Amino acid sequence: MLSAFIRLRNQILVFLACSLFFVFLALRLAVPINLTAVDIGRHVKNGELIVKGEKDLLFKNYYSFTSPEYPFINHHWLFGVLAYMIWKAWDFAGVQCVYIALCLLGLFFFLRAALLRGHGAVVFLCVSLALPLLWDRREIRPEGLSIFLMGLYFYVLTKLSLGQIRPGWAFILLPFMQVVWVNSHIFFFMGPLLAALFLWEGAARNCSVCVRHLLPLLLILLLVNLINPSGLAGALTPLNIFKGFGYRLAENQNVFFMIRRFTNPTYFYFLFTVLFLFLGIGLACFRRESKVNWPFIILSFFIALAGIKAIRLMMPFGFFFVVMGSFFWGQVEGKVTPRLQTTIRPWIFVVAIMIGAANFVFFTQPALGVGQIRRGFHDDAH
C-alpha cells in the first residue's frame, strides 16, 4: 500500500514538473519578431526564390551587389523552403509556433533519453537548471530544427543501445532525417557524431549487438551527408564554417569576450552550469574506473567547450546538459543507500520546481506574443 502511494506521488510530481517546465520554455520563446534585426525574413525569401526555381541561391553569393558570382554553399536552403511554406500558410505567427514546437520536442526527446538512464528527480533538477539556456536563442533560426533532431537522435540511439527498439526503425528514420538535416543546418555533423559516441559506448559495455547495429548505421549516416546540392563540399562545410568572416559576429564570440563587454547574467549562469556538470562528472567517476563513462565525458567536454567558444552554442549545451547532467549526477545519487534515495528524491523534485520557477521570474523578457513585432517593443540583445 505504501509503495503504491509513493509511486503515485512520484508520478504526480513528474507530471507537474514536466508540464511546468514546458510551459516556462514555451512562454519564454514566445517573443514578437523584429524583422529588421533577425534573419527569418531572409530565410523565408530564400525559400520563395528556391521554390520559384532560382538555383543561384544554392551556389552563389546571391544577394551581393559587388560579388554576386562569389561561390557560396547554402547549407540551410531546405530550412528556407520549409519556412516559406509555413509562412505562406500561417504567416510569421505560424513560423514562430513551429519553431517553439521544435524546441519543445527537442526538450521532450532529451528528457525522455535522460529518464531512460536516470531517476526522474535528478532529471528534472537538471531541466530546471538548464531552462535559462534553453530559451537563450529566442530568434527563429535553423538551429531550432537541429535542437529537435539532436534530441530525437539521442533518444533513438539510447533506445537502440538499450535494445528497446527494433534496429529497422532506426535504419529507416535516422538516415531520412539526416538527409533533411544536411540540407537544413550546419549542425548536421552531430548526427554521425552521436552515432559514433553510442558505438563507442556500446563497445565499452562489450555489447556486440550494439556494435553490429551502430557501425553500419554510422556509415550510412556519413554517406547520406553527400545528398546535398554541393555533394562532398557540402558534407565538409562544418570544417570551414568559421572561416572567411569579414567582421566579428557577436554570436560567434567566446563567453569571456562577451562578459567583458556586456552585463548579461546568462553568460555567468552558463559558466555555473558547466561547473555543475563537471562536478557531477568528477563525483561520478571518483574512485571508479568506468569505460562506459568516457564517450559521454568526451561529449560533455565537447559541448561545454563549444558553448564557451561561441555564445550561440550555449543553447544547444543547455539541451545536452539535461541528459548529460542527469547521467552523471544520477550516478552520484546511486552511490547513496536506497533508503536515503527514497527520502531525498521528493525533496529534489520540490527544489527542481522552485529553481525552475525562480529562473522563470529572474530571467525576464520584455514582451510576450507570437508573430511580427508591435510598435514600442524592443528586444533585448546579446
Side-chain angles (χ1 to χ4, degrees), residues 141-210:
R141 288 178 174 270
E143 51 251 54
L145 183 58
S146 284
I147 292 296
F148 161 68
L149 290 173
M150 287 188 289
L152 176 65
Y153 273 54
F154 208 103
Y155 176 66
V156 171
L157 290 170
T158 300
K159 297 275 283 187
L160 182 61
S161 68
L162 297 177
Q164 297 182 5
I165 60 169
R166 294 180 179 178
W169 285 105
F171 276 82
I172 294 172
L173 177 63
L174 297 190
F176 172 77
M177 299 309 298
Q178 190 66 30
V179 175
V180 175
W181 204 351
V182 74
N183 291 286
S184 300
H185 192 233
I186 197 67
F187 288 0
F188 68 85
F189 70 91
M190 288 297 297
L193 178 61
L194 289 175
L197 288 171
F198 274 89
L199 172 61
W200 181 9
E201 188 261 353
R205 289 191 288 114
N206 297 317
C207 178
S208 58
V209 175
C210 297

Side-chain angles (χ1 to χ4, degrees), residues 44 47-48 51 80-91 95:
V44 170
E48 179 185 10
V51 168
V81 172
L82 297 173
Y84 168 68
M85 295 171 65
I86 297 169
W87 172 83
K88 193 172 183 180
W90 299 301
D91 205 1
V95 178

Side-chain angles (χ1 to χ4, degrees), residues 78-121:
L78 183 56
F79 174 80
V81 172
L82 297 173
Y84 168 68
M85 295 171 65
I86 297 169
W87 172 83
K88 193 172 183 180
W90 299 301
D91 205 1
F92 283 108
V95 178
Q96 188 166 22
C97 287
V98 171
Y99 174 77
I100 293 172
L102 287 173
C103 292
L104 294 177
L105 283 171
L107 177 58
F108 171 79
F109 284 119
F110 275 114
L111 191 151
R112 288 285 295 165
L115 288 172
L116 290 173
R117 292 181 177 271
H119 190 272

Side-chain angles (χ1 to χ4, degrees), residues 244-259:
F245 283 102
Y247 60 94
R248 280 186 168 184
L249 293 176
E251 64 184 17
N252 289 341
Q253 303 309 308
N254 69 73
V255 67
F256 300 107
F257 175 91
M258 298 301 286
I259 284 175

Side-chain angles (χ1 to χ4, degrees), residues 26-32 365-370 374 377:
L27 290 175
R28 281 292 177 259
L29 291 174
V31 175
Q365 67 188 63
L368 176 67
V370 294
R374 294 184 177 89
F377 172 84

